[in-house]
Amino acid sequence: MNDIRRTILWVIFGFSMVLLWDKWQVHNGHKATFFPAPAAQTATAPAAPASAASSSSAAVPTATPAPAVAGAQQVPGGASQPAVATPRERVTVTTDVLRLTFDSEGGTLTHGELLKYPEMADKNKPFTLLDESSQRVYVAQTGLIGPAGLPTHKTAMAVVPGARELREGENELSIRFESPDLGGVKLVKTWTVKRGGYDIAVKHEVVNTGTAPVSPQLYLQLVRDGNKPPGESSFYSTFTGPAVYTEAKKYHKVEFKDIENGKAEIDKSSTNGYVAMVQHYFATAWLLGDGLQRDLFVRKVDTNLYAVGMITPLGEIAPGQAKAIDARLFAGPQIETMMEKLTPGLELVKDYGWLTILSKPLYWLLDQLHKLLNNWGWSIVALVLLLKIAFYWLNAKAYASMAKMKAINPKIMEMRERLKDKPQQMQQEMMRIYREEKVNPMGGCFPIMIQIPVFIALYWVLLSSVEMRNAPWIGWITDLSSPDPYFILPLLMTASSLLQTALNPAPPDPMQAKMMWFMPLIFSVMFFFFPAGLVLYWLTNNILSIAQQWIINTRMGVPPQFNLPKFR
């Protein structure tokens, strides 16, 4: 049974080494050995200065026509966009948390900076989420679908004069774009930002200026290139790409490669939910009120450009009449408590995967601790301490079992040496010793294995939480989301892992005993590249585990001793 336990540990260790080596190859700029990913393509700049999403209407069902493509000179219906002599402008709007730049071509949001979140490489510059340049494309577009010639995100619009900066005492400001009369329809688009908010209200007023009824549809889409965000670490994997949420199918991520291969599967139609573009720590999402019919889509729109969006019918608009529809664009950090208030399911863009059921309460507890301690580093320490208290009796059983194994280890070693040429008799004798001493060789494994999902869930909480970004702890740790600049925490973590190994019973097999010492050394390599918050969590867990093991061993009359390796 002892050999079975070690075999299980070796399988886990071997798979960890495969993953570690694969990430190490990627980290050093080489192709992944075991899990190769498609080569990243350079962002293709649109042919025109403003980007867009493109595809021909023939490529999709008539019920859900497609928006126009980036850089194309066609409207969603496929007809050519008439030339309009309205001068093109770029207009910047600033609030206390956002700096947004709009293009009068289509009233498109082409640049967005989060003023409360500095860039990782340059703390004096605000983080750029949305952008349109030769290196990056990430924009939010809207327009109309219907008869040829309706206003789209390629239509030149007039900007209505007004305030461009949120002043003291003001809670919101608006920027208004008006299209010319196209195809008997005029589109007025009003973006409204508010103090402290990352959700932007977007009102679309459609006026029928013609002599016949029209039934246009409104599309809302996010378009971005398929590259990883600049500066993002390749050593640990986080998702970048589109996501769709409906009450029927819940949250669903869509890989860029699945769009490329035509394998993307999403809810095509719904009366609720949202579409989003997600990356590590930040997201954008188009939100519509519940009850409004919407057709959802994801597609490739150009070389290395992808779109996710929704199309909603406006119904029939009689001549001389107007109809308005309200939407919201979220563009900001993935703060769960904030996103939960905006629309159902939006907090799921902060993706914990299959451990969400454990991760969400752990994040809530971490957030409550932060309200008390006002320091995310000490909140991590406190959370691990609370988890150790919660699992105290489970850990006590594991360490008690290990202490018993340690007490009978000399007897086992003597027996193995005596019967080394009689393996069958050795196994029978070993089982007899276990029965007489009332020792379960797997007793130290199961209690620890039960806790593994909880600690993996906490790992994802710390990896995914934007609150860790630029959050200081003590002294040299000024950013819990970045690696320790002096490698002090990883070195302490490595030392604590070796100390744990020394306190455990030495395996009877000399080769296994040596490998049990190499394992924490090799495993610790990755912690030199992990965010400091994650290393702090593991280090705290190791220290508390050592303390508990020491106390339990002493109480059981098995004095702690260090089983040092014999490398010869």
Side-chain angles (χ1 to χ4, degrees), residues 45-228:
S51 69
S54 100
S55 107
S56 92
S57 56
V60 294
T62 359
T64 57
V69 191
Q73 297 301 316
Q74 290 188 332
V75 294
S80 297
Q81 179 73 29
V84 181
T86 305
R88 187 171 180 179
E89 297 182 57
R90 296 281 179 129
V91 184
T92 299
V93 170
T94 306
T95 73
D96 58 327
V97 297
L98 293 171
R99 183 182 295 124
L100 307 173
T101 300
F102 298 89
D103 191 337
S104 64
E105 183 176 84
T108 295
L109 177 55
T110 58
H111 190 85
E113 297 176 0
L114 309 185
L115 303 182
K116 300 293 185 182
Y117 294 86
E119 291 279 5
M120 299 298 288
D122 185 353
K123 307 295 184 185
N124 296 316
K125 290 178 59 179
F127 176 75
T128 299
L129 180 58
L130 296 158
D131 194 21
E132 180 185 43
S133 64
S134 58
Q135 290 78 38
R136 292 185 63 205
V137 175
Y138 189 178
V139 295
Q141 304 165 334
T142 70
L144 298 180
I145 298 173
L150 293 187
T152 72
H153 63 270
K154 296 298 295 178
T155 300
M157 294 186 170
V159 185
V160 176
R164 298 294 179 252
E165 186 171 351
L166 197 62
R167 300 184 181 91
E168 285 294 328
E170 295 179 338
N171 289 320
E172 64 177 43
L173 67 83
S174 298
I175 180 169
R176 183 181 172 98
F177 297 91
E178 295 183 357
S179 79
D181 185 339
L182 295 175
V185 171
K186 178 179 179 180
L187 173 63
V188 179
K189 188 186 302 186
T190 306
W191 298 77
T192 302
V193 291
K194 59 185 179 182
R195 184 174 298 279
Y198 293 98
D199 56 315
I200 309 158
V202 192
K203 184 176 184 179
H204 298 83
E205 299 173 85
V206 182
V207 183
N208 185 348
T209 58
T211 57
V214 292
S215 300
Q217 299 177 87
L218 173 71
Y219 65 85
L220 312 160
Q221 67 180 8
L222 298 162
V223 180
R224 70 158 291 158
D225 59 74
N227 300 332
K228 282 281 187 181

Side-chain angles (χ1 to χ4, degrees), residues 448-486:
I448 293 173
M449 289 176 66
I450 291 171
Q451 300 171 59
I452 287 176
V454 176
F455 284 97
I456 293 177
L458 181 54
Y459 167 92
W460 282 109
V461 168
L462 298 178
L463 182 63
S464 305
S465 295
V466 70
E467 292 88 344
M468 303 299 127
R469 196 175 182 272
N470 290 316
W473 178 41
I474 56 171
W476 75 103
I477 302 295
T478 58
D479 182 0
L480 288 168
S481 70
S482 296
D484 183 335
Y486 304 112

Side-chain angles (χ1 to χ4, degrees), residues 505-521:
D509 182 11
M511 181 58 69
Q512 285 187 1
K514 291 175 184 177
M515 288 307 300
M516 289 301 288
W517 279 90
F518 283 123
M519 195 161 61
L521 286 173

Side-chain angles (χ1 to χ4, degrees), residues 495-567:
S496 66
S497 297
L498 293 173
L499 181 57
Q500 276 187 302
T501 303
L503 288 173
N504 289 334
D509 182 11
M511 181 58 69
Q512 285 187 1
K514 291 175 184 177
M515 288 307 300
M516 289 301 288
W517 279 90
F518 283 123
M519 195 161 61
L521 286 173
I522 299 170
F523 183 69
S524 296
V525 169
M526 69 178 71
F527 284 89
F528 284 79
F529 305 96
F530 273 9
L534 289 174
V535 184
L536 175 61
Y537 141 60
W538 279 108
L539 174 61
T540 305
N541 183 60
N542 279 1
I543 292 173
L544 293 174
S545 297
I546 290 168
Q548 187 177 8
Q549 186 173 357
W550 193 288
I551 292 168
I552 290 172
N553 280 11
T554 304
R555 285 180 177 175
M556 293 190 65
V558 183
Q561 60 183 24
F562 299 104
N563 301 302
L564 298 177
K566 298 176 182 178
F567 297 107

Side-chain angles (χ1 to χ4, degrees), residues 11 14 20 28 31 92 118 130 132 163 203 210 215 220 238 254 275 325 372 419 424 432 462 464 466 547 566:
V11 170
L20 175 60
N28 284 281
K31 187 177 179 182
T92 299
L130 296 158
E132 180 185 43
K203 184 176 184 179
S215 300
L220 312 160
T238 54
V254 184
V275 295
I325 187 167
L372 292 174
L419 301 175
Q424 188 172 356
R432 183 188 66 78
L462 298 178
S464 305
V466 70
K566 298 176 182 178

Side-chain angles (χ1 to χ4, degrees), residues 339-356:
M339 294 187 294
E340 284 172 343
K341 299 174 183 176
L342 295 178
T343 196
L346 185 59
E347 74 280 2
L348 296 176
V349 299
K350 183 182 176 184
D351 184 26
Y352 299 129
W354 63 279
L355 288 171
T356 297

Side-chain angles (χ1 to χ4, degrees), residues 290-430:
D290 283 351
L292 292 176
Q293 180 61 42
R294 66 209 70 185
D295 296 319
L296 311 171
F297 65 87
V298 290
R299 61 175 62 93
K300 184 177 181 181
V301 297
D302 206 344
T303 305
N304 199 35
L305 283 181
Y306 303 87
V308 60
M310 57 177 78
I311 301 169
T312 184
L314 297 175
E316 186 175 274
I317 305 174
Q321 298 298 308
K323 184 169 285 190
I325 187 167
D326 293 314
R328 283 180 298 165
L329 174 70
F330 170 77
Q334 297 173 12
I335 300 176
E336 283 187 54
T337 51
M338 174 182 67
M339 294 187 294
E340 284 172 343
K341 299 174 183 176
L342 295 178
T343 196
L346 185 59
E347 74 280 2
L348 296 176
V349 299
K350 183 182 176 184
D351 184 26
Y352 299 129
W354 63 279
L355 288 171
T356 297
I357 193 171
L358 295 175
S359 296
K360 285 181 73 67
L362 286 174
Y363 171 80
W364 177 87
L365 183 55
L366 182 66
D367 187 52
Q368 299 306 307
L369 289 170
H370 179 258
K371 290 176 182 177
L372 292 174
L373 303 174
N374 201 33
N375 181 291
W376 286 107
W378 290 119
S379 300
I380 292 171
V381 173
L383 180 58
V384 178
L385 178 60
L386 290 178
L387 288 175
K388 277 294 178 185
I389 293 172
F391 288 117
Y392 177 81
W393 296 112
L394 205 56
N395 284 322
K397 289 185 177 181
Y399 294 135
S401 177
M402 293 169 78
K404 288 181 181 178
M405 287 292 297
K406 194 170 185 178
I408 68 169
N409 202 44
K411 187 184 292 188
I412 295 290
M413 295 291 286
E414 184 275 329
M415 181 272 299
R416 287 178 69 98
E417 181 64 26
R418 180 164 40 89
L419 301 175
K420 60 183 177 182
D421 297 325
K422 301 175 181 179
Q424 188 172 356
Q425 188 178 344
M426 182 195 297
Q427 280 295 116
Q428 293 172 349
E429 183 69 12
M430 189 179 296

